[in-house]
Amino acid sequence: MIRNLIRIEDVTTQWWDGLYSTFCDILEHPNDYVDACRGKVMASLFFEPSTRTSFSFQSAMQRLGGGVFGFTDPATTSASKGETLADTIRVVSAYSDAVVIRSKLEGAAQAAALYSPVPVVNAGDGGHQHPTQTLTDLATIAQLRGKIGGITIGLCGDLKYGRTVHSLVMALEKFDNVRFVLITPPELKMPDYMLDHMRRTGQNFTEVTSLEDTLPELDVLYMTRIQRERFPDYNDYLRLRGVYVLTKDKLRAAKSDMTILHPLPRYDEMGYDVDDDPRAKYFDQVRYGMLIRMALLANLCNQKRETPHSHPLTTNINCTNPICVTSAEPYLPRLLSLEGGQSCGYCDKSLI
Ligand code: NCD
């Protein structure tokens, strides 16, 4: 049983198996779940724009018979009057049975969990993680390919700022025989903390720059958008925009049973002519995303309220990541993670 879903590492394979079997059951017998969250309420706090994630959570909760309140524009909330995240969470968790939060600050969901007596779900924190997108991706691969392991997966595009791929790598490494091909220009490589983690845990991966040359070896191609909003210098974005464009023509070189996934939204990295290709599965992925969130909420919203646990490890070293939640919310205790030496317990960036 998990309490909060902050990082995908919170998910064990055993817990995943249970969640996936609920997902399959919902797919077959949706009517059995219409009261699974009757009388429960989900708080939906989107401090950053969203279409799929926010709507899929809302739709999921409503299909389970539960209610939703929240915002997609933080300008309408007391955060715009200077209310701290801790106080916002204490307030909304008093009204709800689960809190779903998206923020541009890395570690925001971890910070929220320190103050919430109800489960907290990370719906994306800056360029750090997006664990429910990963649950979506895993469910899609399992449904469409019959199992998750035994694949060569190409992750293409912005692996530096793209949070979906960080969570996906951490999840896939728990399955047998997964080979990663990281397809990026040097400027958008996986962050060092992720590459260090992949080396330390013995992942089978290569880093390449050409999508065309790599396509024939892939079982799954995971395309991503260049994350314009996360570039400190907009000119860098302008230089890198359009670096990969998947077209119908290029797909001739790919395996006939390759699965094309994309967390969406797309910008210019995937032509509309790809949509008709039977290998294009990103709109199935959207549907599965709502169903896996139903399975997640049915579990989390029915847990008991609990006094939040204090975090076991703290430090007096300040994190230097400018978009770590600790830089915007300075009262937060400095949390330590011992993964790979010493790293920030919110954003996972190295502290040394
Ligand atoms: C992604 C995100 O927000 O990180 N979108 C989503 O949740 N499906 C991907 C993106 O914005 O590029």
Side-chain angles (χ1 to χ4, degrees), residues 48-50 52-53 102 123-124 126 130 133 162-164 224-227 229-230 262-265 293:
E48 246 198 347
S50 170
R52 263 150 302 276
T53 308
R102 169 173 285 194
H130 193 347
Q133 179 62 47
R163 53 194 173 197
T164 59
T224 64
R225 176 180 68 91
I226 311 290
Q227 306 279 297
E229 67 278 23
R230 306 213 191 281
H262 191 311
L264 302 176
R293 289 181 175 104

Side-chain angles (χ1 to χ4, degrees), residues 11-71:
V11 171
T12 61
T13 41
Q14 205 188 4
W15 188 85
W16 162 254
D17 288 345
L19 191 78
Y20 183 64
S21 93
T22 309
F23 163 93
C24 294
D25 199 43
I26 295 173
L27 201 55
E28 265 183 57
H29 310 288
N31 289 340
D32 290 357
Y33 290 83
V34 292
D35 286 325
C37 286
R38 176 77 54 210
K40 305 289 177 183
V41 177
M42 181 191 99
S44 173
L45 314 185
F46 278 73
F47 292 94
E48 246 198 347
S50 170
T51 306
R52 263 150 302 276
T53 308
S54 127
F55 290 161
S56 68
F57 267 111
Q58 290 183 40
S59 177
M61 194 59 184
Q62 285 163 11
R63 284 165 190 273
L64 297 167
V68 180
F69 70 88
F71 58 85

Side-chain angles (χ1 to χ4, degrees), residues 167-238:
S167 298
L168 184 56
V169 164
M170 297 277 197
L172 285 176
E173 60 185 45
K174 297 195 174 131
F175 295 86
D176 290 337
N177 215 357
V178 175
R179 192 174 143 246
F180 298 94
V181 187
L182 310 179
I183 310 162
T184 65
E187 296 88 339
L188 295 177
K189 268 167 59 123
M190 273 278 176
D192 286 341
Y193 83 94
M194 284 293 304
L195 291 173
D196 289 346
H197 170 88
M198 291 177 83
R199 286 190 199 101
R200 212 170 39 246
T201 54
Q203 300 312 307
N204 180 350
F205 74 97
T206 44
E207 293 185 89
V208 302
T209 52
S210 167
L211 171 61
E212 284 82 349
D213 294 350
T214 312
L215 266 175
E217 11 173 329
L218 302 179
D219 301 305
V220 178
L221 171 62
Y222 195 92
M223 289 300 291
T224 64
R225 176 180 68 91
I226 311 290
Q227 306 279 297
R228 182 185 56 201
E229 67 278 23
R230 306 213 191 281
F231 281 70
D233 183 345
Y234 188 64
N235 290 320
D236 290 339
Y237 165 72
L238 293 178

Side-chain angles (χ1 to χ4, degrees), residues 277-344:
D277 191 294
R279 292 166 287 190
K281 300 295 185 195
Y282 28 89
F283 291 114
D284 300 83
Q285 193 182 357
V286 167
R287 173 91 182 154
Y288 293 143
M290 178 192 69
L291 297 169
I292 200 78
R293 289 181 175 104
M294 285 175 73
L296 178 70
L297 290 172
N299 178 311
L300 297 186
C301 290
N302 286 301
Q303 295 189 17
K304 285 207 181 72
R305 299 180 76 83
E306 262 178 22
T307 310
H309 300 294
S310 58
H311 198 274
L313 283 175
T314 51
T315 173
N316 47 22
I317 309 173
N318 283 326
C319 181
T320 54
N321 171 8
I323 54 164
C324 178
V325 67
T326 53
S327 64
E329 307 277 335
Y331 57 88
L332 288 170
R334 293 327 189 226
L335 303 187
L336 180 65
S337 155
L338 296 176
E339 152 88 38
Q342 292 198 359
S343 50
C344 172

Side-chain angles (χ1 to χ4, degrees), residues 77-89:
T77 71
S78 287
S80 68
K81 300 183 195 164
E83 186 170 56
T84 61
L85 179 65
D87 280 359
T88 302
I89 296 299

